Amino acid sequence: MSATLLEISIRRFAALASLTPAEANAIRGLCERTLAIAAREVIRDEGATPPLLYFLLDGWAMTSIGLSDGGRQILKAHLPGDVMGAPSAPFAEAVETITAVTACTVAPFTREALAQTFQAQPRLGWLFFLAAQQERAALMDRLTAAGQLGAHRNLALLLLQLHARLDRASGDDVEIPLTQQQIGDMLGLTPVHVNRVVRDLDREGLIRRAGRRYELVDLARLRAFVGLPARTLAPPVQAAADDSPAPTTLRAR
Amino acid sequence: MSATLLEISIRRFAALASLTPAEANAIRGLCERTLAIAAREVIRDEGATPPLLYFLLDGWAMTSIGLSDGGRQILKAHLPGDVMGAPSAPFAEAVETITAVTACTVAPFTREALAQTFQAQPRLGWLFFLAAQQERAALMDRLTAAGQLGAHRNLALLLLQLHARLDRASGDDVEIPLTQQQIGDMLGLTPVHVNRVVRDLDREGLIRRAGRRYELVDLARLRAFVGLPARTLAPPVQAAADDSPAPTTLRAR
DNA sequence: CGCAGCCTTGAAAAACTTCAAACGGTGTGG
DNA sequence: CCACACCGTTTGAAGTTTTTCAAGGCTGCG
């Protein structure tokens, strides 16, 4: 696989702490096998057993849970560097369905391989733990939005969250390859209502939209509109100089 | 602190894998200091820095996020054995507020101490990771309910989830010390509507309620009503015989 | 006894869904 | 190259769910 793609994954962890070469190699080891997936293809169905995990190396994907009555909730839109499928790790069967939004590249690995990584690189295990908590906090914000905010503020938050996660070299324009149907499945709204809300936000001047391109005109105003604080990570720590039992704390404070 | 209370915490991990004495001791080490908290008291406010973590040893507590406009979302009702506050670990400031529902006992510890535990007991780190993913799956189910299910099915799911987590020696009766206001804050409903829905479920014969005692009359019917599958954990694994780099996989399959 | 917190009920308003239909782009087969 | 079908977006109108506002009753506690 291309080294540059893998580096995206590693960079994600580097936001939590800088990695030692051994740690970076351990991640590379998990990415041995890669798969190319076509847009809309199901990467892993809920119920699959045993549940695998996946690094998303390129493209957009999504995680969803289906209901017996045909509805589905999209829980997360995944960007390159994300670990996908981890919530199923403790369970006998996969909890969530993973689907490619655009064409994408993934690297599947087993939970056993990840468990071994925890043994071999305990500090990397800690970083995986922190990443999991970060995901949990994102879900908590999303649940808060679903429960407490109306459709307008909920959509505004989604745009802010995606904006924060995208490398936006291109100013505050974000290209979001999700249909309004899919956005509805993320927010718990009908596509019809999503459309009305999108146009409302546009009309109000909070965003400017053309097709699937969204421009966040005034970030501060949008954030104030939503009313949830931005989450800032604790400062990353340097990698330990060697692999011996580090006398320094992992996260100086 | 009482050994029996701590054992509750350890038992929670034992659902994922049986613990070695060293691992159990590591958890005990985290529980060195304990605090008694009065009902309704705030244990830790969002924004607190640095964010601590807590073992809940006794009583009910809850985790919530507040909004600038006064609303709040309750994200989880905590029972003895739960780790609380972990979602804030990667962040500079605490993301969630933790409040005692009933009088309770907690054991606070720092994220640095937990990071050290990952170093000293890597397999225990893996179990913490699995527990975090389990929490994540629970949030995903809750978000699915909030987005896709109506108020009735959403409340039914909450009752099923609490029922599954409670040690119910007393048949399918559960005593839930949450006010209808608080249940509303969990589900994203007004207390008025919660009340109507509770009485609807009672009238339909899906539950029988007296005060804060809820009897789940017919579990199978309730589950079918909700339409989300029950989540079953992968079988726990035995503790490794010693602490040497285990040649066996951590989770035989 | 009186207060405070919680539960309960009713009626009107708001938010969101459902149903229905039309428009525009895009790819495919004739 | 055109016609057609399909998918996603857009708009309108009616219906359902949930909220808001208001008020009364119950219980436990000082």
Side-chain angles (χ1 to χ4, degrees):
Chain A
M1 64 155 298
S2 148
T4 58
L5 290 183
L6 179 52
E7 273 156 20
I8 292 170
S9 306
I10 294 178
R11 204 180 313 148
R12 195 130 303 201
F13 284 93
L16 298 167
S18 56
L19 299 185
T20 65
E23 288 166 346
N25 272 330
I27 291 181
R28 251 173 232 121
L30 291 175
C31 291
E32 259 171 6
R33 206 162 63 89
T34 68
L35 289 172
I37 312 276
R40 293 143 169 267
E41 196 175 333
V42 172
I43 298 173
R44 198 249 342 245
D45 235 324
E46 52 201 293
T49 164
L52 293 179
L53 291 85
Y54 303 82
F55 264 109
L56 178 56
L57 300 178
D58 192 35
W60 285 57
M62 65 188 191
T63 282
S64 64
I65 290 181
L67 274 76
S68 51
D69 62 10
R72 72 166 178 188
Q73 176 73 32
I74 297 179
L75 298 147
K76 177 153 183 114
H78 293 285
L79 303 182
D82 281 5
V83 175
M84 308 190 296
S88 296
F91 297 97
E93 301 184 349
V95 164
E96 0 92 272
T97 298
I98 308 175
T99 313
V101 174
T102 67
C104 56
T105 312
V106 303
F109 57 97
T110 65
R111 53 188 172 193
E112 288 77 16
L114 184 57
Q116 297 291 1
T117 303
F118 272 62
Q119 290 275 358
Q121 300 289 338
R123 200 188 73 133
L124 191 52
W126 173 246
L127 298 184
F128 268 94
F129 177 77
L130 288 181
Q133 299 301 350
Q134 209 184 330
E135 294 296 335
R136 221 175 132 192
L139 275 172
M140 287 164 57
D141 280 343
R142 190 122 290 295
L143 182 54
T144 301
Q148 307 299 322
L149 273 35
H152 291 79
R153 292 162 74 190
N154 199 345
L155 175 59
L157 176 65
L158 177 63
L159 293 176
L160 282 171
Q161 287 180 334
L162 288 175
H163 172 267
R165 290 170 61 210
L166 284 164
D167 287 330
R168 51 210 178 293
S170 52
D172 287 333
D173 262 38
V174 290
E175 174 82 29
I176 300 177
L178 299 167
T179 67
Q180 295 182 0
Q181 166 78 258
Q182 289 166 333
I183 292 175
D185 285 343
M186 293 190 77
L187 304 182
L189 300 172
T190 58
V192 174
H193 201 55
V194 169
N195 183 268
R196 295 196 232 264
V197 170
V198 167
R199 324 199 97 243
D200 283 350
L201 291 185
D202 198 335
R203 200 170 314 117
E204 302 288 340
L206 281 164
I207 65 172
R208 203 148 27 194
R209 184 196 55 125
R212 294 181 189 167
R213 178 148 222 106
Y214 298 78
E215 185 185 351
L216 309 192
V217 182
D218 184 346
L219 283 177
R221 193 152 77 93
L222 256 188
R223 288 210 190 88
F225 175 63
V226 170
L228 272 177
R231 310 296 182 196
T232 59
L233 288 175
V237 293
Q238 300 308 307
D242 61 349
D243 282 354
S244 65
T248 64
T249 60
L250 290 180
R251 180 168 295 272
R253 245 266 43 105
Chain B
M1 61 155 303
S2 148
T4 58
L5 290 183
L6 178 54
E7 272 157 19
I8 292 170
S9 306
I10 294 178
R11 202 181 313 146
R12 195 129 306 199
F13 284 94
L16 298 167
S18 56
L19 299 185
T20 64
E23 287 166 346
N25 271 330
I27 291 181
R28 253 173 230 121
L30 291 175
C31 291
E32 259 171 6
R33 204 164 63 89
T34 69
L35 290 172
I37 312 276
R40 294 145 169 265
E41 196 175 335
V42 172
I43 299 173
R44 200 261 322 260
D45 235 324
E46 50 200 294
T49 164
L52 293 178
L53 291 85
Y54 303 82
F55 263 110
L56 179 57
L57 300 177
D58 193 35
W60 285 56
M62 66 188 189
T63 282
S64 64
I65 290 181
L67 274 74
S68 52
D69 63 9
R72 73 166 175 186
Q73 176 72 32
I74 298 179
L75 297 145
K76 176 149 183 120
H78 292 285
L79 303 182
D82 282 4
V83 174
M84 307 190 296
S88 295
F91 296 98
E93 301 184 349
V95 164
E96 358 93 272
T97 297
I98 308 174
T99 313
V101 173
T102 66
C104 55
T105 311
V106 303
F109 56 98
T110 65
R111 53 189 172 190
E112 288 76 16
L114 184 56
Q116 297 291 358
T117 304
F118 272 63
Q119 290 275 357
Q121 300 289 338
R123 202 190 72 134
L124 191 52
W126 173 246
L127 298 184
F128 269 94
F129 177 77
L130 288 181
Q133 299 301 351
Q134 211 184 329
E135 294 298 336
R136 220 175 132 192
L139 275 173
M140 287 164 56
D141 280 344
R142 190 121 292 293
L143 182 54
T144 301
Q148 307 299 322
L149 274 36
H152 291 79
R153 293 162 73 188
N154 200 345
L155 175 59
L157 176 65
L158 177 64
L159 293 175
L160 282 171
Q161 287 179 335
L162 287 175
H163 173 267
R165 290 170 61 208
L166 284 164
D167 287 331
R168 53 212 178 293
S170 52
D172 287 331
D173 262 37
V174 291
E175 173 82 29
I176 299 177
L178 299 168
T179 67
Q180 293 182 359
Q181 167 78 257
Q182 289 166 332
I183 293 175
D185 284 343
M186 294 190 75
L187 303 182
L189 300 171
T190 57
V192 174
H193 201 56
V194 169
N195 183 269
R196 294 196 232 264
V197 170
V198 167
R199 323 197 100 243
D200 283 350
L201 291 183
D202 197 334
R203 200 170 314 118
E204 302 289 340
L206 281 164
I207 65 172
R208 204 149 26 197
R209 183 195 57 124
R212 296 182 187 167
R213 178 148 222 105
Y214 299 78
E215 184 186 352
L216 309 192
V217 182
D218 184 347
L219 283 178
R221 193 152 76 94
L222 256 188
R223 287 209 191 89
F225 175 63
V226 171
L228 272 179
R231 310 296 181 195
T232 59
L233 287 175
V237 293
Q238 300 308 307
D242 61 349
D243 282 354
S244 65
T248 63
T249 60
L250 290 179
R251 181 170 290 275
R253 250 261 53 94

